[in-house]
């Protein structure tokens, strides 16, 4: 069938992902190729010290993104999108969406970006001897209990963003195991919330008094490929208010952006890894065995969408700060050249590629991209910072390389533990996300990670495409997820691989030494600015 016929017959597959700056929808064909897309741009807001997205904007963003997808389908193929074979919802992992018995949201959505659960994170990590980071749903829930917040007595359900949207569409209170592993620790054998840890949590006097049970308050855990409900009449109208979308479409388990990143980069087998680099950055390495010890605040242990253990290094900040700089440069040019028609994409491509001409010592420049806190380097809040030596070579090439290297500083700190202390073997690393849209980004990541890094031709599609692939996996009996990805999806997929280049490795190491040595300057900025 042509793509038009495929869409009209309802045999395309939909993936939607709520990213931190964009909600994106991708429609794929039977060859797993993206054939249409839609998007909605948004930003989180700081409301009374809490990073959040209003529920109304979450709904508006979903509907606008889907509307944009429908328009793209009609423009490209001249057909209406009224049904699809399967769908899946993904979103930023972690966070806290708490609801009462009447399904009312009790407090504004608390996103992964918040670093306001330090006490809870510390106590749970020590109790379990297992890292429970500040951004995890369990930390948010327990911190609210420690704070004696009024709403905790009314809590019936707590969701991640993906699980919440899935519930709205299907009525099912379920979650994929990868996303669940960012709510509460998972027992790798039971493929469910760890029962020993759950019992310890429920025995905490303040928790016991409230009667909160882990397997009740958090969504039911499902594996990739399992049935997770169908689009209800209300769900179809929620996604497409025009009423043109048909109900009854099966949806796969909702996943977090880490899980879709693994699917999108074919990184679900042991000794494979992936890096998702956009507004935030995280690396995932699928483990052969457990780590020798816990590294709270530095390395998380989560799972693949099919339940294998994964070491995750998550950093809150990546490209967000250099996006502001690129926009500033564009504003300068627009001011000097009225009617300027250079696209935003060209600014990114040209400025970032210019950075390949930088000095080995990056001109003596220093940058921190901390729009928010960065737990790995010990910051509960952040201040973007740029500094330079008095004799610095202050050029655009050096400036842009400093920004690109700064995006990877905290990530390198976490990966050093996996490589140098845990001796975790990695046979392949694959990248997805905006950082990899230029050749320079791929080169810098290889230099910083000290290993070859590849980018698939689908790297720019990232999470929503990975979600669509997971939805397609749920439509048949394909066996093991890793084998399915190898054979069905990536068998003929083109990729570009960058090996660490000695000059860039040395350049990054020079910058990284400066970055780590000057963290007290960032600390002073946080305390005084």
């Amino acid at each position: 069938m042509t793509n038009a016929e495929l869409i009209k017959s309802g045999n395309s597959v939909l993936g939607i992902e709520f990213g931190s700056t964009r909600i994106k929808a991708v429609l794929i064909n039977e060859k797993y190729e993206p054939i249409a897309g839609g998007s909605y741009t948004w930003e989180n807001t700081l409301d009374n010290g809490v990073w959040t997205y209003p529920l109304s904007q979450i709904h508006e963003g979903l509907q606008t993104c889907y509307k944009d997808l429908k328009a793209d389908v009609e423009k490209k193929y001249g057909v209406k999108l009224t049904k699809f074979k399967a769908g899946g919802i993904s979103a930023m992992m972690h966070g806290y969406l708490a609801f009462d018995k009447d399904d009312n949201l009790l407090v504004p959505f608390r996103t992964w970006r918040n670093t306001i659960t330090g006490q809870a994170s510390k106590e749970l990590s020590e109790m379990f001897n297992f890292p429970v980071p500040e951004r995890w749903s369990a930390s948010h829930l327990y911190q609210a209990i420690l704070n004696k917040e009024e709403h905790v007595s009314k809590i019936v359900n707590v969701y991640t963003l993906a699980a919440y949207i899935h519930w709205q569409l299907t009525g099912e209170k379920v979650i994929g195991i990868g996303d669940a592993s960012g709510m509460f620790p998972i027992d790798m054998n039971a493929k469910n919330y760890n029962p020993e840890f759950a019992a310890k949590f429920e025995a905490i006097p303040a928790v016991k008094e409230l009667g909160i049970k882990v397997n009740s308050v958090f969504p039911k855990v499902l594996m990739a490929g399992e049935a997770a409900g169908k689009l209800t009449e209300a769900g179809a109208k929620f996604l497409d208010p025009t009423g043109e979308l048909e109900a009854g479409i099966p949806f796969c388990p909702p996943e977090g952006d880490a899980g879709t990143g693994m699917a999108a980069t074919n990184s679900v087998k042991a000794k494979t890894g992936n890096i998702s680099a956009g507004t935030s950055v995280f690396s995932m390495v699928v483990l052969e065995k457990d780590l020798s010890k816990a590294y709270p605040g530095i390395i998380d242990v989560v799972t693949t969408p099919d339940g294998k253990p994964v070491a995750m290094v998550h950093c809150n900040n990546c490209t967000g700060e250099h996006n502001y700089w690129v926009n500033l440069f564009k504003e300068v040019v627009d001011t000097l050249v009225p009617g300027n028609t250079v696209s935003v994409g060209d600014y990114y491509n040209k400025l970032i590629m210019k950075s390949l001409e930088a000095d080995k010592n990056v001109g003596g420049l220093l940058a921190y991209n901390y729009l928010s806190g960065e737990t790995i380097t010990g910051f509960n809040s952040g201040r973007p910072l740029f500094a330079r030596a008095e004799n610095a070579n202050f050029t655009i090439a050096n400036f842009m390389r400093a920004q690109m290297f700064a995006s990877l500083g905290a990530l390198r700190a976490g990966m050093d533990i996996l490589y140098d202390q845990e001796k975790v073997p990695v046979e392949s690393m694959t990248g997805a996300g905006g950082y990899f849209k230029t050749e320079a980004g791929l080169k810098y990541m290889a230099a910083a990670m000290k290993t070859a890094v590849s980018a698939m031709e689908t790297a720019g599609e990232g999470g929503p495409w990975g979600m669509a692939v997971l939805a397609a996996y749920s439509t048949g009996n394909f066996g093991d997820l890793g084998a399915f990805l190898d054979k069905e999806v990536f068998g003929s997929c083109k990729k570009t691989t960058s090996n660490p280049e000695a000059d860039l490795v040395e350049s990054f190491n020079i910058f990284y030494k400066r970055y780590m040595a000057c963290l007290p300057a960032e600390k002073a900025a946080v305390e005084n600015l």
Side-chain angles (χ1 to χ4, degrees), residues 39-200:
S39 67
Y40 173 84
T41 301
W42 66 348
E43 286 281 355
N44 53 191
T45 56
L46 193 61
D47 182 9
N48 292 319
V50 174
W51 290 105
T52 188
Y53 298 88
L55 206 60
S56 59
Q57 191 180 19
I58 292 171
H59 297 178
E60 175 193 332
L62 174 67
Q63 292 168 359
T64 303
C65 174
Y66 185 77
K67 180 181 179 181
D68 194 40
L69 171 69
K70 287 179 63 180
D72 191 46
V73 166
E74 194 151 9
K75 179 181 178 182
K76 285 179 176 175
Y77 307 108
V79 299
K80 283 189 178 293
L81 179 61
T82 62
K83 55 185 175 180
F84 38 90
K85 189 175 184 180
I89 298 295
S90 173
M92 302 167 279
M93 286 178 71
H94 320 298
Y96 182 74
L97 279 156
F99 289 82
D100 66 14
K101 63 182 179 59
D102 298 317
D103 296 335
N104 297 309
L105 182 67
L106 293 169
V107 290
F109 173 33
R110 298 172 182 178
T111 77
W112 59 270
R113 180 167 244 172
N114 289 286
T115 49
I116 56 176
T117 64
Q119 181 185 357
S121 172
K122 183 175 184 293
E123 289 187 14
L124 292 177
S125 297
E126 290 175 352
M127 180 187 300
F128 301 155
N129 191 28
F130 184 96
V132 181
E134 291 186 51
R135 64 186 179 279
W136 280 30
S137 306
S139 293
H140 281 283
L141 172 59
Y142 186 41
Q143 190 66 55
I145 293 170
L146 289 173
N147 294 345
K148 298 181 179 179
E149 296 184 35
E150 186 273 336
H151 79 273
V152 296
S153 64
K154 303 174 184 175
I155 292 174
V156 173
N157 293 111
V158 173
Y159 302 97
T160 61
L161 181 54
Y164 166 72
I165 294 295
H166 183 90
W167 168 46
Q168 294 296 298
L169 296 178
T170 67
E172 299 290 338
K173 299 178 180 182
V174 299
I175 189 170
I177 192 168
D179 202 16
S181 69
M183 296 192 83
F184 194 89
I186 294 292
D187 183 307
M188 299 301 174
N189 294 317
K191 307 300 183 187
N192 200 356
Y193 304 117
N194 187 299
E196 178 187 348
F197 296 170
K200 288 183 177 181

Side-chain angles (χ1 to χ4, degrees), residues 1 22 61 100 120 159 209 220 270 338-339 369 390 519:
M1 288 188 286
R22 280 205 301 169
D100 66 14
Y159 302 97
E209 183 180 344
K220 180 182 177 182
N369 61 334
E390 70 277 7
L519 284 170

Side-chain angles (χ1 to χ4, degrees), residues 218-247:
F218 294 142
K220 180 182 177 182
V221 177
L222 297 177
M223 299 282 285
E226 289 192 280
K230 295 182 178 180
L231 191 65
T232 63
E233 293 285 352
K237 196 70 181 287
F238 177 66
L239 183 57
D240 183 8
T242 68
E244 293 176 344
L245 180 61
E246 296 181 10

Side-chain angles (χ1 to χ4, degrees), residues 235-381:
K237 196 70 181 287
F238 177 66
L239 183 57
D240 183 8
T242 68
E244 293 176 344
L245 180 61
E246 296 181 10
I249 298 168
F251 269 64
C252 69
E255 263 299 345
D257 50 0
T260 58
M262 285 184 266
T265 55
N266 194 19
S267 305
V268 300
K269 295 182 293 184
K271 296 192 286 188
T272 64
N274 76 91
I275 303 161
S276 176
T279 305
S280 64
V281 60
F282 53 83
S283 63
M284 319 277 293
V285 178
V286 185
L287 301 173
E288 290 185 297
K289 60 181 181 179
D290 292 338
L291 299 179
S292 65
K293 64 178 184 178
Y295 297 91
I298 301 175
I299 297 174
D300 306 349
V301 178
V302 293
T303 81
T304 63
D306 58 343
K308 298 184 184 71
V310 176
M312 177 182 190
V313 179
H314 183 282
C315 308
N316 290 341
N317 304 283
C318 187
T319 63
E321 173 64 358
H322 82 235
N323 290 347
Y324 280 106
W325 283 106
V326 171
N327 288 335
L328 176 66
F329 297 146
K330 183 179 186 304
E331 185 178 348
V332 170
V333 175
D334 289 346
T335 301
L336 296 174
V337 187
N340 168 48
T341 58
V342 178
S343 71
V344 174
D346 278 344
Y347 277 93
Y348 279 95
N349 291 336
K350 291 181 183 298
L351 289 170
I352 292 172
M353 291 301 291
K354 182 72 176 177
S355 70
L356 290 173
E357 302 172 16
D359 300 328
K360 186 175 292 185
N361 72 345
V362 202
L365 308 186
L366 173 68
Y368 292 101
N369 61 334
Y370 293 4
L371 288 167
S372 63
E374 200 60 83
T375 306
I376 288 176
T377 48
F379 290 87
N380 289 325
S381 62

